[in-house]
Amino acid sequence: MVQVILDELDIPWSVATFNGHRSGAFLRTLLKSKTSALIFASSSLASMFSFRAPGSMTELISTHRVGLMGGPVNMPFAKLPDVRVDLITFNWQLVAERIVNDLITQAAFQESFPVIFQAEPHLQVALNRIAQDI
């Protein structure tokens, strides 16, 4: 979906795939890239990078505009810089309630179309104050 939106806005994009081996090396590659922004499609992946290579992750979010899909990341071992990030969050309670309700009423087995859940954007929020603000 993000790729479709970027295409519609005529924003050039590319995909960097983490191979699962050396977090620090992967983050250094991203640091050297000429891109002005990065989107982490998985907040758990961004949290893992913060755990495995906190210095590189801190430098990356300090030098690039970063988007975090799925909400804020847990960075207990990284020094949180005074930077701003873009977040996309979901009301997971409403999502869970809809899933349970659809299973109980059997609607999940009768509907043949996708269910779309509303996301909420939080643009340029302070990373070091996310827990209190959201």
Side-chain angles (χ1 to χ4, degrees), residues 18-134:
F18 176 60
N19 62 13
H21 297 346
R22 300 193 59 220
S23 301
F26 179 73
L27 292 175
R28 284 189 295 280
T29 300
L30 292 178
L31 277 163
K32 293 177 186 174
S33 69
K34 299 296 181 195
T35 186
S36 59
L38 300 164
I39 299 172
F40 284 95
S42 166
S43 58
S44 60
L45 181 63
S47 292
M48 183 201 67
F49 287 143
S50 298
F51 176 75
R52 289 187 180 174
S56 295
M57 187 63 173
T58 299
E59 185 178 354
L60 183 69
I61 62 177
S62 297
T63 58
H64 292 74
R65 183 166 184 173
V66 174
L68 303 169
M69 296 181 64
V73 297
N74 186 3
M75 298 180 69
F77 300 102
K79 181 181 177 198
L80 291 179
D82 186 21
V83 297
R84 298 193 168 274
V85 296
D86 301 320
L87 300 174
I88 298 173
T89 60
F90 299 89
N91 184 332
W92 291 112
Q93 183 175 348
L94 289 178
V95 172
E97 288 172 4
R98 171 70 190 263
I99 291 169
V100 169
N101 186 51
D102 285 357
L103 290 172
I104 290 171
T105 64
Q106 301 290 311
F109 307 106
Q110 297 167 1
E111 297 175 359
S112 62
F113 55 88
V115 176
I116 299 172
F117 296 101
Q118 192 70 27
E120 186 175 343
H122 303 275
L123 302 178
Q124 295 295 282
V125 295
L127 181 61
N128 57 1
R129 288 188 225 132
I130 287 173
Q132 294 86 9
D133 294 343
I134 297 177

